[in-house]
Amino acid sequence: MSKTYPIFPELIIEGELSLDTSITKRIRAGVLDAKNSGSAAKTNFGWMTDKGLPQEEAIKNLQILLGNMFVDEIDKALNGNVKKQVEVNIIEPNVIAVAPGHVYPVNIDRDRWYNCILWLQTTNKGSMLYQENFGAKLQSTPPLLQPHTNYIKPKLFRYAFFPAHIPWGLSPNQSAVETIVLNQSFVTKPKVSK
C-alpha cells in the first residue's frame, strides 16, 4: 500500500480586509504623506518608501493588524506550533507604487520567513502579484500539474502572505492610476523558556 503526501509545501494565504470608509480615508492620507515625505524615492517603476522607516499612523496600524492576522493564520495552518515555538516580528515595511505602464521587477527577500503584500490602491487592471518558480522543479514538473508562475489578482485591500524565498514581483500596471501596495516581511526567533 502506498501513501502520498506533500513535503515542505509552499503555503500561500490570501484574503481581503473589510475596512470602513473613515479608516480607508486615513490610509489614503497616509499613502500621500509617505509619497510626499522625504523618505520616498522615485524609481524607474514609480516610487517607494525607504524600508523600515516610520510610517504614518494608519499605515503603522495596518502593519500591526496584518502581523497579528499572519500569526493567527500561519499558526492554524501549521497545527498550532508557531505560537508555541517562535516569536514573529515584522521587519522592513514599505510602500511601493507602480506607475501606469510599468512593472516592479522580480526580487527575493533573503533571510526572511514570509512576505506580505496588501493592495492600498488599484483597479482590476492594476499590477498583479506574481511568484516565479526558478528552482529545479521548473524542468522536472509538467506545467499542467504544477504551474511555474502564480498570479494573485489585484483588489483593494486584498492581501497575500507567501514564503519569502519565492521570487516575486508586480506585473505591468495596465490601469490609468498607480498601483500602490504595502510590503512587509516577517522573521522568527525561538521563544525563550522561562
Side-chain angles (χ1 to χ4, degrees):
M1 184 159 135
S2 64
K3 95 177 157 179
T4 304
Y5 61 92
I7 185 165
F8 308 129
E10 306 296 356
L11 184 63
I12 295 174
I13 302 166
E14 285 184 57
E16 294 176 25
L17 297 177
S18 59
L19 304 172
D20 67 40
T21 49
S22 66
I23 293 172
T24 60
K25 284 179 185 176
R26 285 194 302 240
I27 291 168
R28 288 172 207 236
V31 167
L32 285 175
D33 288 347
K35 182 179 182 178
N36 298 325
S37 74
S39 71
K42 191 172 165 113
T43 64
N44 61 345
F45 55 81
W47 59 269
M48 66 190 296
T49 60
D50 292 337
K51 289 188 174 190
L53 280 181
Q55 302 288 342
E56 191 276 337
E57 196 64 31
I59 304 284
K60 203 182 302 182
N61 290 340
L62 215 54
Q63 292 167 356
I64 294 167
L65 172 64
L66 287 167
N68 290 333
M69 289 172 54
F70 170 70
V71 170
D72 290 342
E73 292 291 329
I74 200 72
D75 193 57
K76 272 191 285 185
L78 298 178
N79 300 320
N81 291 320
V82 173
K83 288 181 181 178
K84 291 179 202 168
Q85 297 178 13
V86 296
E87 181 182 305
V88 179
N89 294 310
I90 299 169
I91 62 165
E92 296 188 341
N94 71 327
V95 176
I96 300 169
V98 180
H102 290 76
V103 61
Y104 182 73
V106 174
N107 67 86
I108 265 187
D109 296 302
R110 300 191 188 283
D111 303 321
R112 311 284 187 269
W113 184 34
Y114 262 77
N115 282 338
C116 173
I117 292 291
L118 170 71
W119 281 269
L120 299 176
Q121 176 177 293
T122 192
T123 69
N124 61 344
K125 293 182 179 182
S127 296
M128 291 186 280
L129 170 65
Y130 66 92
Q131 294 128 344
E132 294 283 355
N133 179 3
F134 294 135
K137 285 186 179 182
L138 192 61
Q139 298 302 320
S140 64
T141 306
L144 296 176
L145 295 179
Q146 181 176 347
H148 303 305
T149 305
N150 181 52
Y151 294 96
I152 299 175
K153 293 184 178 180
K155 187 174 180 187
L156 190 60
F157 300 119
R158 175 172 283 159
Y159 61 85
F161 302 116
F162 56 96
H165 70 271
I166 297 175
W168 68 277
L170 296 169
S171 70
N173 182 358
Q174 302 297 322
S175 72
V177 299
E178 291 177 323
T179 296
I180 301 175
V181 298
L182 172 62
N183 170 38
Q184 63 189 32
S185 297
F186 301 97
V187 294
T188 62
K189 63 180 183 181
K191 282 192 174 175
V192 179
S193 17
K194 296 178 182 181

